[in-house]
mmCIF file of all heavy atoms in Angstrom:
data_model
loop_
_atom_site.group_PDB
_atom_site.id
_atom_site.type_symbol
_atom_site.label_atom_id
_atom_site.label_comp_id
_atom_site.label_asym_id
_atom_site.label_seq_id
_atom_site.Cartn_x
_atom_site.Cartn_y
_atom_site.Cartn_z
ATOM 1 N N PRO A 1 -7.080 -5.913 49.996
ATOM 2 C CA PRO A 1 -6.004 -6.197 49.102
ATOM 3 C C PRO A 1 -5.330 -7.591 49.436
ATOM 4 O O PRO A 1 -5.267 -8.014 50.624
ATOM 5 C CB PRO A 1 -5.002 -5.079 49.298
ATOM 6 C CG PRO A 1 -5.314 -4.553 50.628
ATOM 7 C CD PRO A 1 -6.815 -4.715 50.766
ATOM 8 N N LEU A 2 -4.877 -8.224 48.425
ATOM 9 C CA LEU A 2 -4.183 -9.526 48.553
ATOM 10 C C LEU A 2 -2.828 -9.322 49.275
ATOM 11 O O LEU A 2 -2.146 -8.371 49.024
ATOM 12 C CB LEU A 2 -4.018 -10.249 47.276
ATOM 13 C CG LEU A 2 -5.312 -10.598 46.520
ATOM 14 C CD1 LEU A 2 -4.954 -11.086 45.146
ATOM 15 C CD2 LEU A 2 -6.096 -11.574 47.292
ATOM 16 N N ASP A 3 -2.498 -10.199 50.196
ATOM 17 C CA ASP A 3 -1.277 -10.150 50.856
ATOM 18 C C ASP A 3 -0.202 -10.900 50.100
ATOM 19 O O ASP A 3 0.104 -12.104 50.294
ATOM 20 C CB ASP A 3 -1.378 -10.739 52.334
ATOM 21 C CG ASP A 3 -0.094 -10.606 53.041
ATOM 22 O OD1 ASP A 3 0.764 -9.785 52.684
ATOM 23 O OD2 ASP A 3 0.068 -11.287 54.105
ATOM 24 N N LEU A 4 0.396 -10.199 49.050
ATOM 25 C CA LEU A 4 1.289 -10.852 48.181
ATOM 26 C C LEU A 4 2.673 -10.231 48.305
ATOM 27 O O LEU A 4 2.811 -8.993 48.284
ATOM 28 C CB LEU A 4 0.891 -10.733 46.732
ATOM 29 C CG LEU A 4 -0.545 -11.294 46.368
ATOM 30 C CD1 LEU A 4 -0.788 -11.055 44.916
ATOM 31 C CD2 LEU A 4 -0.624 -12.717 46.702
ATOM 32 N N ASP A 5 3.687 -11.085 48.501
ATOM 33 C CA ASP A 5 5.095 -10.532 48.558
ATOM 34 C C ASP A 5 5.629 -10.433 47.172
ATOM 35 O O ASP A 5 6.281 -11.363 46.708
ATOM 36 C CB ASP A 5 5.868 -11.451 49.431
ATOM 37 C CG ASP A 5 7.326 -10.980 49.522
ATOM 38 O OD1 ASP A 5 7.633 -9.784 49.131
ATOM 39 O OD2 ASP A 5 8.224 -11.625 50.083
ATOM 40 N N LEU A 6 5.364 -9.352 46.464
ATOM 41 C CA LEU A 6 5.660 -9.263 45.059
ATOM 42 C C LEU A 6 7.167 -9.051 44.819
ATOM 43 O O LEU A 6 7.668 -9.050 43.687
ATOM 44 C CB LEU A 6 4.972 -8.089 44.405
ATOM 45 C CG LEU A 6 3.439 -8.270 44.419
ATOM 46 C CD1 LEU A 6 2.735 -7.028 43.896
ATOM 47 C CD2 LEU A 6 2.957 -9.517 43.599
ATOM 48 N N ASP A 7 7.950 -8.875 45.898
ATOM 49 C CA ASP A 7 9.443 -8.800 45.837
ATOM 50 C C ASP A 7 10.096 -10.117 45.786
ATOM 51 O O ASP A 7 11.340 -10.143 45.527
ATOM 52 C CB ASP A 7 9.948 -7.938 46.939
ATOM 53 C CG ASP A 7 9.555 -6.486 46.930
ATOM 54 O OD1 ASP A 7 9.387 -5.967 45.793
ATOM 55 O OD2 ASP A 7 9.279 -5.916 47.958
ATOM 56 N N ASP A 8 9.331 -11.190 45.930
ATOM 57 C CA ASP A 8 9.859 -12.518 45.962
ATOM 58 C C ASP A 8 10.007 -12.953 44.508
ATOM 59 O O ASP A 8 9.145 -13.424 43.801
ATOM 60 C CB ASP A 8 8.910 -13.468 46.665
ATOM 61 C CG ASP A 8 9.445 -14.860 46.763
ATOM 62 O OD1 ASP A 8 10.586 -15.149 46.172
ATOM 63 O OD2 ASP A 8 8.795 -15.736 47.329
ATOM 64 N N SER A 9 11.332 -12.812 44.016
ATOM 65 C CA SER A 9 11.561 -13.155 42.598
ATOM 66 C C SER A 9 11.467 -14.590 42.269
ATOM 67 O O SER A 9 11.351 -15.001 41.064
ATOM 68 C CB SER A 9 12.962 -12.605 42.153
ATOM 69 O OG SER A 9 13.993 -13.266 42.929
ATOM 70 N N GLU A 10 11.467 -15.428 43.244
ATOM 71 C CA GLU A 10 11.315 -16.884 43.014
ATOM 72 C C GLU A 10 9.870 -17.285 42.894
ATOM 73 O O GLU A 10 9.500 -18.415 42.491
ATOM 74 C CB GLU A 10 11.980 -17.729 44.129
ATOM 75 C CG GLU A 10 13.465 -17.526 44.216
ATOM 76 C CD GLU A 10 14.115 -18.475 45.250
ATOM 77 O OE1 GLU A 10 13.422 -19.242 45.929
ATOM 78 O OE2 GLU A 10 15.365 -18.385 45.371
ATOM 79 N N ARG A 11 8.970 -16.356 43.203
ATOM 80 C CA ARG A 11 7.515 -16.620 43.096
ATOM 81 C C ARG A 11 6.827 -15.787 42.041
ATOM 82 O O ARG A 11 5.902 -16.285 41.412
ATOM 83 C CB ARG A 11 6.900 -16.296 44.529
ATOM 84 C CG ARG A 11 5.374 -16.355 44.535
ATOM 85 C CD ARG A 11 4.851 -17.768 44.445
ATOM 86 N NE ARG A 11 3.388 -17.838 44.341
ATOM 87 C CZ ARG A 11 2.591 -17.712 45.352
ATOM 88 N NH1 ARG A 11 3.025 -17.697 46.645
ATOM 89 N NH2 ARG A 11 1.256 -17.833 45.145
ATOM 90 N N TRP A 12 7.332 -14.530 41.831
ATOM 91 C CA TRP A 12 6.639 -13.684 40.916
ATOM 92 C C TRP A 12 7.511 -13.157 39.855
ATOM 93 O O TRP A 12 8.721 -12.835 40.048
ATOM 94 C CB TRP A 12 6.139 -12.440 41.761
ATOM 95 C CG TRP A 12 5.208 -12.862 42.876
ATOM 96 C CD1 TRP A 12 5.450 -12.981 44.141
ATOM 97 C CD2 TRP A 12 3.794 -13.265 42.673
ATOM 98 N NE1 TRP A 12 4.309 -13.394 44.872
ATOM 99 C CE2 TRP A 12 3.289 -13.551 43.947
ATOM 100 C CE3 TRP A 12 2.965 -13.355 41.560
ATOM 101 C CZ2 TRP A 12 1.961 -13.981 44.196
ATOM 102 C CZ3 TRP A 12 1.635 -13.688 41.794
ATOM 103 C CH2 TRP A 12 1.156 -14.002 43.069
ATOM 104 N N LEU A 13 6.902 -13.053 38.624
ATOM 105 C CA LEU A 13 7.654 -12.457 37.462
ATOM 106 C C LEU A 13 6.766 -11.300 37.010
ATOM 107 O O LEU A 13 5.640 -11.432 36.591
ATOM 108 C CB LEU A 13 7.816 -13.423 36.339
ATOM 109 C CG LEU A 13 8.485 -12.987 35.105
ATOM 110 C CD1 LEU A 13 9.936 -12.591 35.384
ATOM 111 C CD2 LEU A 13 8.442 -14.122 34.022
ATOM 112 N N SER A 14 7.326 -10.039 36.991
ATOM 113 C CA SER A 14 6.500 -8.942 36.586
ATOM 114 C C SER A 14 6.339 -8.957 35.062
ATOM 115 O O SER A 14 7.229 -9.306 34.330
ATOM 116 C CB SER A 14 7.273 -7.669 37.047
ATOM 117 O OG SER A 14 8.518 -7.556 36.485
ATOM 118 N N VAL A 15 5.209 -8.544 34.700
ATOM 119 C CA VAL A 15 4.830 -8.506 33.228
ATOM 120 C C VAL A 15 4.419 -7.130 32.936
ATOM 121 O O VAL A 15 3.348 -6.665 33.312
ATOM 122 C CB VAL A 15 3.593 -9.431 32.883
ATOM 123 C CG1 VAL A 15 3.359 -9.503 31.490
ATOM 124 C CG2 VAL A 15 3.880 -10.866 33.470
ATOM 125 N N TRP A 16 5.286 -6.377 32.184
ATOM 126 C CA TRP A 16 5.047 -5.021 31.799
ATOM 127 C C TRP A 16 4.679 -4.963 30.325
ATOM 128 O O TRP A 16 5.398 -5.466 29.481
ATOM 129 C CB TRP A 16 6.229 -4.183 32.205
ATOM 130 C CG TRP A 16 6.514 -4.166 33.590
ATOM 131 C CD1 TRP A 16 7.693 -4.729 34.201
ATOM 132 C CD2 TRP A 16 5.695 -3.664 34.660
ATOM 133 N NE1 TRP A 16 7.529 -4.595 35.531
ATOM 134 C CE2 TRP A 16 6.434 -3.993 35.854
ATOM 135 C CE3 TRP A 16 4.511 -3.081 34.662
ATOM 136 C CZ2 TRP A 16 5.890 -3.662 37.138
ATOM 137 C CZ3 TRP A 16 3.974 -2.697 35.942
ATOM 138 C CH2 TRP A 16 4.674 -3.005 37.120
ATOM 139 N N PRO A 17 3.612 -4.304 29.971
ATOM 140 C CA PRO A 17 3.142 -4.210 28.664
ATOM 141 C C PRO A 17 4.125 -3.512 27.667
ATOM 142 O O PRO A 17 4.838 -2.605 28.021
ATOM 143 C CB PRO A 17 1.885 -3.339 28.764
ATOM 144 C CG PRO A 17 1.459 -3.460 30.197
ATOM 145 C CD PRO A 17 2.748 -3.593 30.937
ATOM 146 N N GLN A 18 4.156 -4.079 26.491
ATOM 147 C CA GLN A 18 5.013 -3.534 25.484
ATOM 148 C C GLN A 18 4.261 -2.596 24.485
ATOM 149 O O GLN A 18 4.922 -1.970 23.593
ATOM 150 C CB GLN A 18 5.557 -4.708 24.634
ATOM 151 C CG GLN A 18 6.102 -5.876 25.481
ATOM 152 C CD GLN A 18 7.333 -5.433 26.323
ATOM 153 O OE1 GLN A 18 8.259 -4.976 25.723
ATOM 154 N NE2 GLN A 18 7.268 -5.755 27.562
ATOM 155 N N GLY A 19 2.997 -2.480 24.661
ATOM 156 C CA GLY A 19 2.242 -1.573 23.759
ATOM 157 C C GLY A 19 1.789 -2.339 22.484
ATOM 158 O O GLY A 19 1.827 -3.520 22.358
ATOM 159 N N SER A 20 1.115 -1.504 21.623
ATOM 160 C CA SER A 20 0.431 -2.102 20.498
ATOM 161 C C SER A 20 1.188 -2.140 19.168
ATOM 162 O O SER A 20 0.641 -2.453 18.092
ATOM 163 C CB SER A 20 -0.918 -1.314 20.238
ATOM 164 O OG SER A 20 -0.603 0.062 19.973
ATOM 165 N N ARG A 21 2.460 -1.754 19.251
ATOM 166 C CA ARG A 21 3.320 -1.708 18.039
ATOM 167 C C ARG A 21 3.296 -2.995 17.248
ATOM 168 O O ARG A 21 3.135 -3.078 16.040
ATOM 169 C CB ARG A 21 4.663 -1.201 18.262
ATOM 170 C CG ARG A 21 5.566 -1.113 17.029
ATOM 171 C CD ARG A 21 6.942 -0.539 17.405
ATOM 172 N NE ARG A 21 6.788 0.841 17.932
ATOM 173 C CZ ARG A 21 7.889 1.490 18.293
ATOM 174 N NH1 ARG A 21 9.099 1.000 18.289
ATOM 175 N NH2 ARG A 21 7.701 2.760 18.743
ATOM 176 N N ASP A 22 3.567 -4.117 17.952
ATOM 177 C CA ASP A 22 3.675 -5.406 17.303
ATOM 178 C C ASP A 22 2.306 -5.849 16.715
ATOM 179 O O ASP A 22 2.287 -6.364 15.627
ATOM 180 C CB ASP A 22 4.112 -6.434 18.306
ATOM 181 C CG ASP A 22 5.584 -6.381 18.669
ATOM 182 O OD1 ASP A 22 6.338 -5.822 17.847
ATOM 183 O OD2 ASP A 22 5.936 -6.783 19.759
ATOM 184 N N GLY A 23 1.249 -5.521 17.424
ATOM 185 C CA GLY A 23 -0.010 -5.772 16.886
ATOM 186 C C GLY A 23 -0.330 -5.030 15.670
ATOM 187 O O GLY A 23 -0.987 -5.615 14.694
ATOM 188 N N TYR A 24 0.042 -3.788 15.585
ATOM 189 C CA TYR A 24 -0.147 -2.963 14.363
ATOM 190 C C TYR A 24 0.681 -3.598 13.203
ATOM 191 O O TYR A 24 0.127 -3.671 12.055
ATOM 192 C CB TYR A 24 0.273 -1.587 14.662
ATOM 193 C CG TYR A 24 0.171 -0.652 13.446
ATOM 194 C CD1 TYR A 24 -1.138 -0.109 13.061
ATOM 195 C CD2 TYR A 24 1.251 -0.393 12.602
ATOM 196 C CE1 TYR A 24 -1.261 0.679 11.940
ATOM 197 C CE2 TYR A 24 1.074 0.404 11.436
ATOM 198 C CZ TYR A 24 -0.137 0.917 11.179
ATOM 199 O OH TYR A 24 -0.286 1.724 10.039
ATOM 200 N N GLN A 25 1.862 -3.977 13.502
ATOM 201 C CA GLN A 25 2.740 -4.582 12.385
ATOM 202 C C GLN A 25 2.116 -5.883 11.933
ATOM 203 O O GLN A 25 2.210 -6.234 10.739
ATOM 204 C CB GLN A 25 4.069 -4.816 12.872
ATOM 205 C CG GLN A 25 4.984 -3.565 13.056
ATOM 206 C CD GLN A 25 4.984 -2.738 11.785
ATOM 207 O OE1 GLN A 25 5.250 -3.263 10.697
ATOM 208 N NE2 GLN A 25 4.829 -1.438 11.970
ATOM 209 N N ASP A 26 1.384 -6.601 12.779
ATOM 210 C CA ASP A 26 0.714 -7.820 12.341
ATOM 211 C C ASP A 26 -0.305 -7.458 11.242
ATOM 212 O O ASP A 26 -0.477 -8.152 10.283
ATOM 213 C CB ASP A 26 0.045 -8.511 13.529
ATOM 214 C CG ASP A 26 1.046 -9.168 14.518
ATOM 215 O OD1 ASP A 26 2.214 -9.305 14.171
ATOM 216 O OD2 ASP A 26 0.573 -9.466 15.625
ATOM 217 N N MET A 27 -1.097 -6.492 11.563
ATOM 218 C CA MET A 27 -2.086 -5.974 10.569
ATOM 219 C C MET A 27 -1.431 -5.626 9.297
ATOM 220 O O MET A 27 -1.967 -5.889 8.188
ATOM 221 C CB MET A 27 -2.939 -4.860 11.199
ATOM 222 C CG MET A 27 -3.732 -5.185 12.375
ATOM 223 S SD MET A 27 -4.946 -3.961 12.870
ATOM 224 C CE MET A 27 -3.858 -2.614 13.311
ATOM 225 N N VAL A 28 -0.328 -4.891 9.320
ATOM 226 C CA VAL A 28 0.332 -4.429 8.108
ATOM 227 C C VAL A 28 0.790 -5.654 7.325
ATOM 228 O O VAL A 28 0.569 -5.748 6.115
ATOM 229 C CB VAL A 28 1.558 -3.573 8.420
ATOM 230 C CG1 VAL A 28 2.397 -3.330 7.172
ATOM 231 C CG2 VAL A 28 1.057 -2.244 9.061
ATOM 232 N N GLN A 29 1.365 -6.642 7.962
ATOM 233 C CA GLN A 29 1.908 -7.788 7.317
ATOM 234 C C GLN A 29 0.750 -8.637 6.732
ATOM 235 O O GLN A 29 0.839 -9.166 5.606
ATOM 236 C CB GLN A 29 2.658 -8.678 8.301
ATOM 237 C CG GLN A 29 4.063 -7.974 8.633
ATOM 238 C CD GLN A 29 4.862 -8.820 9.578
ATOM 239 O OE1 GLN A 29 4.720 -10.045 9.671
ATOM 240 N NE2 GLN A 29 5.630 -8.148 10.403
ATOM 241 N N PHE A 30 -0.380 -8.738 7.518
ATOM 242 C CA PHE A 30 -1.458 -9.500 6.973
ATOM 243 C C PHE A 30 -2.009 -8.814 5.740
ATOM 244 O O PHE A 30 -2.373 -9.542 4.729
ATOM 245 C CB PHE A 30 -2.545 -9.592 8.019
ATOM 246 C CG PHE A 30 -3.750 -10.413 7.582
ATOM 247 C CD1 PHE A 30 -3.714 -11.860 7.631
ATOM 248 C CD2 PHE A 30 -4.871 -9.759 7.107
ATOM 249 C CE1 PHE A 30 -4.858 -12.500 7.169
ATOM 250 C CE2 PHE A 30 -6.064 -10.475 6.742
ATOM 251 C CZ PHE A 30 -6.020 -11.893 6.782
ATOM 252 N N ALA A 31 -2.190 -7.533 5.720
ATOM 253 C CA ALA A 31 -2.702 -6.804 4.621
ATOM 254 C C ALA A 31 -1.845 -7.036 3.358
ATOM 255 O O ALA A 31 -2.308 -7.114 2.215
ATOM 256 C CB ALA A 31 -2.823 -5.278 4.928
ATOM 257 N N GLU A 32 -0.567 -7.111 3.535
ATOM 258 C CA GLU A 32 0.336 -7.384 2.440
ATOM 259 C C GLU A 32 0.276 -8.764 1.793
ATOM 260 O O GLU A 32 0.665 -8.916 0.652
ATOM 261 C CB GLU A 32 1.856 -7.079 2.912
ATOM 262 C CG GLU A 32 2.163 -5.678 3.267
ATOM 263 C CD GLU A 32 3.520 -5.566 3.877
ATOM 264 O OE1 GLU A 32 4.168 -6.577 4.268
ATOM 265 O OE2 GLU A 32 4.014 -4.377 4.027
ATOM 266 N N THR A 33 -0.394 -9.677 2.529
ATOM 267 C CA THR A 33 -0.560 -10.988 2.016
ATOM 268 C C THR A 33 -1.903 -11.167 1.176
ATOM 269 O O THR A 33 -2.068 -12.190 0.553
ATOM 270 C CB THR A 33 -0.571 -12.018 3.093
ATOM 271 O OG1 THR A 33 -1.753 -11.929 3.944
ATOM 272 C CG2 THR A 33 0.687 -11.929 3.932
ATOM 273 N N CYS A 34 -2.733 -10.127 1.230
ATOM 274 C CA CYS A 34 -4.051 -10.261 0.647
ATOM 275 C C CYS A 34 -3.899 -10.284 -0.903
ATOM 276 O O CYS A 34 -3.237 -9.403 -1.462
ATOM 277 C CB CYS A 34 -4.937 -9.075 1.028
ATOM 278 S SG CYS A 34 -5.520 -9.133 2.691
ATOM 279 N N THR A 35 -4.518 -11.240 -1.509
ATOM 280 C CA THR A 35 -4.485 -11.347 -2.946
ATOM 281 C C THR A 35 -5.724 -10.569 -3.603
ATOM 282 O O THR A 35 -5.688 -10.401 -4.829
ATOM 283 C CB THR A 35 -4.509 -12.759 -3.383
ATOM 284 O OG1 THR A 35 -5.657 -13.455 -2.800
ATOM 285 C CG2 THR A 35 -3.252 -13.529 -2.921
ATOM 286 N N ASP A 36 -6.654 -10.272 -2.797
ATOM 287 C CA ASP A 36 -7.831 -9.489 -3.306
ATOM 288 C C ASP A 36 -7.481 -7.995 -3.252
ATOM 289 O O ASP A 36 -7.274 -7.432 -2.234
ATOM 290 C CB ASP A 36 -9.026 -9.738 -2.369
ATOM 291 C CG ASP A 36 -10.339 -8.986 -2.805
ATOM 292 O OD1 ASP A 36 -10.234 -7.852 -3.333
ATOM 293 O OD2 ASP A 36 -11.390 -9.631 -2.599
ATOM 294 N N ALA A 37 -7.311 -7.421 -4.454
ATOM 295 C CA ALA A 37 -6.859 -6.076 -4.573
ATOM 296 C C ALA A 37 -7.754 -5.080 -3.877
ATOM 297 O O ALA A 37 -7.339 -4.080 -3.315
ATOM 298 C CB ALA A 37 -6.602 -5.724 -6.072
ATOM 299 N N VAL A 38 -9.073 -5.316 -4.024
ATOM 300 C CA VAL A 38 -10.029 -4.464 -3.370
ATOM 301 C C VAL A 38 -9.889 -4.422 -1.889
ATOM 302 O O VAL A 38 -9.816 -3.357 -1.231
ATOM 303 C CB VAL A 38 -11.480 -4.816 -3.834
ATOM 304 C CG1 VAL A 38 -12.458 -3.927 -3.032
ATOM 305 C CG2 VAL A 38 -11.671 -4.619 -5.314
ATOM 306 N N LEU A 39 -9.808 -5.658 -1.294
ATOM 307 C CA LEU A 39 -9.641 -5.759 0.168
ATOM 308 C C LEU A 39 -8.357 -5.186 0.612
ATOM 309 O O LEU A 39 -8.253 -4.459 1.612
ATOM 310 C CB LEU A 39 -9.787 -7.193 0.569
ATOM 311 C CG LEU A 39 -9.419 -7.534 2.002
ATOM 312 C CD1 LEU A 39 -10.355 -6.734 2.957
ATOM 313 C CD2 LEU A 39 -9.503 -9.006 2.327
ATOM 314 N N ALA A 40 -7.258 -5.486 -0.182
ATOM 315 C CA ALA A 40 -5.956 -4.907 0.192
ATOM 316 C C ALA A 40 -5.988 -3.387 0.232
ATOM 317 O O ALA A 40 -5.396 -2.754 1.136
ATOM 318 C CB ALA A 40 -4.916 -5.371 -0.827
ATOM 319 N N GLY A 41 -6.686 -2.781 -0.711
ATOM 320 C CA GLY A 41 -6.785 -1.278 -0.704
ATOM 321 C C GLY A 41 -7.580 -0.802 0.456
ATOM 322 O O GLY A 41 -7.168 0.237 1.048
ATOM 323 N N LYS A 42 -8.627 -1.455 0.763
ATOM 324 C CA LYS A 42 -9.412 -1.033 1.977
ATOM 325 C C LYS A 42 -8.652 -1.194 3.346
ATOM 326 O O LYS A 42 -8.678 -0.287 4.109
ATOM 327 C CB LYS A 42 -10.721 -1.923 2.080
ATOM 328 C CG LYS A 42 -11.748 -1.603 1.008
ATOM 329 C CD LYS A 42 -12.959 -2.609 1.150
ATOM 330 C CE LYS A 42 -14.026 -2.287 0.165
ATOM 331 N NZ LYS A 42 -15.196 -3.070 0.287
ATOM 332 N N LEU A 43 -7.898 -2.266 3.354
ATOM 333 C CA LEU A 43 -7.066 -2.395 4.598
ATOM 334 C C LEU A 43 -6.000 -1.296 4.707
ATOM 335 O O LEU A 43 -5.654 -0.856 5.734
ATOM 336 C CB LEU A 43 -6.454 -3.825 4.633
ATOM 337 C CG LEU A 43 -7.493 -4.976 4.834
ATOM 338 C CD1 LEU A 43 -6.760 -6.320 4.752
ATOM 339 C CD2 LEU A 43 -8.163 -4.817 6.177
ATOM 340 N N ASP A 44 -5.366 -1.049 3.553
ATOM 341 C CA ASP A 44 -4.354 -0.013 3.516
ATOM 342 C C ASP A 44 -4.848 1.314 4.019
ATOM 343 O O ASP A 44 -4.238 2.003 4.807
ATOM 344 C CB ASP A 44 -3.788 0.024 2.112
ATOM 345 C CG ASP A 44 -2.640 1.080 2.050
ATOM 346 O OD1 ASP A 44 -1.586 0.784 2.720
ATOM 347 O OD2 ASP A 44 -2.631 2.054 1.324
ATOM 348 N N VAL A 45 -6.080 1.679 3.586
ATOM 349 C CA VAL A 45 -6.701 2.894 4.032
ATOM 350 C C VAL A 45 -6.987 2.813 5.499
ATOM 351 O O VAL A 45 -6.784 3.749 6.295
ATOM 352 C CB VAL A 45 -7.974 3.185 3.233
ATOM 353 C CG1 VAL A 45 -8.765 4.359 3.862
ATOM 354 C CG2 VAL A 45 -7.616 3.493 1.791
ATOM 355 N N ALA A 46 -7.532 1.650 5.987
ATOM 356 C CA ALA A 46 -7.908 1.498 7.386
ATOM 357 C C ALA A 46 -6.709 1.656 8.305
ATOM 358 O O ALA A 46 -6.880 2.082 9.480
ATOM 359 C CB ALA A 46 -8.547 0.151 7.565
ATOM 360 N N LEU A 47 -5.521 1.333 7.801
ATOM 361 C CA LEU A 47 -4.320 1.235 8.699
ATOM 362 C C LEU A 47 -3.693 2.664 8.930
ATOM 363 O O LEU A 47 -2.774 2.832 9.622
ATOM 364 C CB LEU A 47 -3.303 0.314 8.105
ATOM 365 C CG LEU A 47 -3.659 -1.191 8.216
ATOM 366 C CD1 LEU A 47 -2.720 -2.002 7.437
ATOM 367 C CD2 LEU A 47 -3.593 -1.574 9.726
ATOM 368 N N ASN A 48 -4.229 3.653 8.258
ATOM 369 C CA ASN A 48 -3.652 5.020 8.354
ATOM 370 C C ASN A 48 -4.400 5.852 9.408
ATOM 371 O O ASN A 48 -5.644 6.001 9.350
ATOM 372 C CB ASN A 48 -3.742 5.746 6.962
ATOM 373 C CG ASN A 48 -2.771 5.150 5.965
ATOM 374 O OD1 ASN A 48 -1.504 5.399 6.140
ATOM 375 N ND2 ASN A 48 -3.206 4.442 4.992
#
């Protein structure tokens, strides 16, 4: 294991995942911009 002093706040910034909610909303918003009605319908089904 690496000898890292992870408690050193001047050296390290913890990165904790936020999950996939934002990524899912990106898909929803992109689907809403689709002008192709057939594609928009397929994406709407895919997102459920």
